[in-house]
Amino acid sequence: MLSNKVHSKLCSPKQATQLSRAVVPLLSTSPLGYPTAIRVGLVASTQQRHGSNTRSFSSTPVTHLRDFFPAKETEHIHRTLPAWPHHGYTEQEMLDVVPGHRKPETWGELAAWKFMRFCRWGMDTCTGMRKDQKVDKNNPTTAVATIAPLTESQWLIRFLFLESIAGVPGMVAGMLRHLRSLRRLKRDNGWIETLLEESYNERMHLLTFMKMCEPGWFMKIILIGAQGVYFNGLFLSYIISPKITHRFVGYLEEEAVHTYTMAIKQIEDGHLPKWADPDFVVPDIAVDYWKMPEGKRTMKDLILYIRADEACHRGVNHTLGNLNQNEDPNPFVSDYKEGREPPRPAVRPEGYERVDVM
């Protein structure tokens, strides 16, 4: 009997078996109109909090719809808790997030912005976006005018690609600052923890979406190649200019906020019926991490949480790019004088200027 919980493995029943037959498989579509770079099927399950008995109701063989990281229980360990528990948001904080853009002011910032636009073009091309599905080129990170809607599987491809990349910068920057702290025998004033937590948070986004879909082998190769180029590029750029690297990451997070805002808009406009289905529930990993309350566990709610995270990363990196990289403390984890509250990065798309937080 079908459970009343429907999980989100929502892609084409025909899958990555045809990927090797095309030169650019990510640009092709299946007979159902979905890109073939990712395997997602419609799955219903009877699920307990720490275990599940899943049955597949798609035409995709059940062996092809595997769980990448099933819950494991040892003789003594019941579960492993997150290293960085999420601090949570109010509903109003999530609704207040809006797309924004910090205009480049120096040649270095302009180069970072242009390179980010090149990366966005590459992602659009690799994920098979049509011309009518792209937003206004003159306002690429703020325009929310109606475009031709994407399918659920197209969105999942973009989410997976974006989050697999977004988890790299914080780890690279945190690692380099950690090593510098060891070499110079000096404190880092709170930067390392925030950067590593950012990387961890982005990985939780990826793990959540991995519970909804299974990438094909071509997509996995693309991710491996992209991560290799991205990691080494960020490693070199952070050594050369941490300020410009933080600005680049701020621009990356602007793209993320814009992407999730468009997805929310298309859900609200009724273009993504599977995600608007009242029986649709998000994976337990998301419920546990964000502590999502009962009645607020739809796909739209999940994307609101993730968008708020990206807005925080946007404001944090733009702010860090404005500070003295060697001496200034991290304003987001500091106690302020006279009871002043720490800055709230999600509400400042362009970040805080140094004079505002120091």
Side-chain angles (χ1 to χ4, degrees), residues 39 78 142 304 313 333 355:
R39 176 186 298 118
H78 176 57
T142 57
L304 283 170
H313 303 329
V333 295
V355 67

Side-chain angles (χ1 to χ4, degrees), residues 8 33 41 44 90 99 106 120 138 162 197 211 228 232 253 265 318:
S8 49
T90 66
T106 66
R120 174 62 183 267
N138 295 323
L162 177 64
E197 184 179 6
K211 280 288 189 178
N232 288 287
E253 302 298 352
K265 185 176 187 301
H318 277 320

Side-chain angles (χ1 to χ4, degrees), residues 197-215:
E197 184 179 6
E198 174 186 309
S199 182
Y200 179 88
N201 176 254
E202 298 284 11
R203 189 175 65 89
M204 290 302 297
H205 298 174
L206 178 64
L207 296 182
T208 296
F209 291 128
M210 287 296 296
K211 280 288 189 178
M212 301 183 183
C213 58
E214 180 181 343

Side-chain angles (χ1 to χ4, degrees), residues 10-266:
L10 299 171
C11 215
S12 169
K14 303 217 176 229
Q15 242 323 281
T17 55
Q18 291 88 13
L19 285 175
S20 61
R21 302 176 188 174
V23 177
V24 189
L26 287 170
L27 302 181
S28 62
T29 57
S30 72
L32 294 181
Y34 293 132
T36 58
I38 194 169
R39 176 186 298 118
V40 188
L42 182 59
V43 172
S45 67
T46 55
Q47 185 177 57
Q48 304 300 323
R49 175 58 55 190
H50 306 299
S52 64
N53 178 21
T54 304
R55 296 177 58 196
S56 170
F57 291 90
S58 76
S59 59
T60 305
V62 68
T63 56
H64 290 174
L65 288 173
R66 60 191 176 88
D67 190 342
F68 276 86
F69 37 94
K72 295 181 180 179
E73 189 171 333
T74 69
E75 182 178 354
H76 300 293
I77 298 175
H78 176 57
R79 63 186 303 194
T80 303
L81 299 176
W84 281 287
H86 197 276
H87 52 78
Y89 303 109
T90 66
E91 185 174 6
Q92 192 58 49
E93 285 176 328
M94 294 188 290
L95 294 175
D96 286 343
V97 172
V98 295
H101 175 56
R102 181 188 177 97
K103 293 186 180 299
E105 297 177 356
T106 66
W107 286 106
E109 291 181 354
L110 182 61
W113 165 242
K114 292 297 184 182
F115 185 67
M116 183 65 254
R117 295 309 306 153
F118 172 76
C119 294
R120 174 62 183 267
W121 171 84
M123 185 176 74
D124 289 347
T125 301
C126 287
T127 54
M129 283 191 70
R130 303 190 311 269
K131 186 176 180 179
D132 61 345
Q133 291 178 320
K134 299 179 181 181
V135 297
D136 181 12
K137 290 184 179 180
N138 295 323
N139 300 287
T141 57
T142 57
V144 292
T146 303
I147 60 173
L150 283 70
T151 63
E152 287 93 341
S153 60
Q154 280 182 304
W155 278 119
L156 283 173
I157 291 172
R158 295 180 67 78
F159 295 164
L160 280 175
F161 194 90
L162 177 64
E163 298 299 347
S164 68
I165 295 299
V168 175
M171 181 60 65
V172 173
M175 174 188 70
L176 288 174
R177 294 190 70 94
H178 171 74
L179 294 176
R180 185 175 67 177
S181 177
L182 297 179
R183 287 195 309 272
R184 298 186 176 184
L185 306 177
K186 293 178 63 177
R187 288 193 59 189
D188 187 67
N189 290 322
W191 289 50
I192 294 172
E193 293 84 349
T194 291
L195 293 168
L196 294 181
E197 184 179 6
E198 174 186 309
S199 182
Y200 179 88
N201 176 254
E202 298 284 11
R203 189 175 65 89
M204 290 302 297
H205 298 174
L206 178 64
L207 296 182
T208 296
F209 291 128
M210 287 296 296
K211 280 288 189 178
M212 301 183 183
C213 58
E214 180 181 343
W217 64 266
F218 189 84
M219 180 81 168
K220 294 175 184 177
I221 292 174
I222 291 293
L223 295 181
I224 292 172
Q227 184 179 101
V229 172
Y230 197 48
F231 178 92
N232 288 287
L234 284 169
F235 182 89
L236 293 174
S237 69
Y238 205 83
I239 291 175
I240 296 170
S241 177
K243 292 176 73 74
I244 297 302
T245 306
H246 281 299
R247 186 71 70 225
F248 171 80
V249 178
Y251 290 142
L252 171 66
E253 302 298 352
E254 288 179 2
E255 297 287 351
V257 171
H258 181 261
T259 293
Y260 289 117
T261 299
M262 293 302 299
I264 291 169
K265 185 176 187 301
Q266 292 191 8

